[in-house]
Amino acid sequence: MATQKFMGRGQLIDRLTAQIGNRATAIEVLQKRGHLEADGKTLTKSGAARNAMTAEERAKDRAATKTGKPASSFTYNPKTNTARKK
């Protein structure tokens, strides 16, 4: 799986590019989410925070935000890039 190469910190754009299959589309998605500035190169404050996380941390953060539970109460599945309650 191509996205497995981009699991670490600082790989937000590369990971999304691998997931989507097109860098321009990945940049557009990140701009719409508010993680990249209009120039397509500069991370916003929230984008820098997401970029500083690993794929696991982002998945747990998504689950925690959705449920209101702490991120530590989730386990990560790298094959599906999802977090489930322990």
Side-chain angles (χ1 to χ4, degrees):
M1 183 176 226
T3 60
Q4 296 297 322
K5 294 190 303 185
F6 306 109
M7 300 289 283
R9 298 178 197 287
Q11 298 181 319
L12 182 68
I13 296 172
D14 292 333
R15 181 162 174 86
L16 188 58
T17 298
Q19 289 171 331
I20 292 176
N22 182 298
R23 188 170 183 88
T25 304
I27 288 171
E28 188 176 303
V29 167
L30 291 171
Q31 287 171 325
K32 286 180 183 178
R33 289 181 186 166
H35 297 304
L36 269 180
E37 298 288 347
D39 66 7
K41 297 176 184 176
T42 309
L43 292 166
T44 63
K45 187 175 179 180
S46 64
R50 299 298 284 181
N51 194 44
M53 296 178 178
T54 64
E56 177 177 356
E57 291 167 335
R58 286 191 300 272
K60 287 181 176 181
D61 183 63
R62 285 191 304 271
T65 299
K66 185 176 180 180
T67 64
K69 307 270 187 217
S72 60
S73 65
F74 296 92
T75 57
Y76 177 65
N77 181 340
K79 291 181 181 177
T80 62
N81 193 36
T82 58
R84 296 185 73 165
K85 195 166 188 247
K86 289 183 182 179

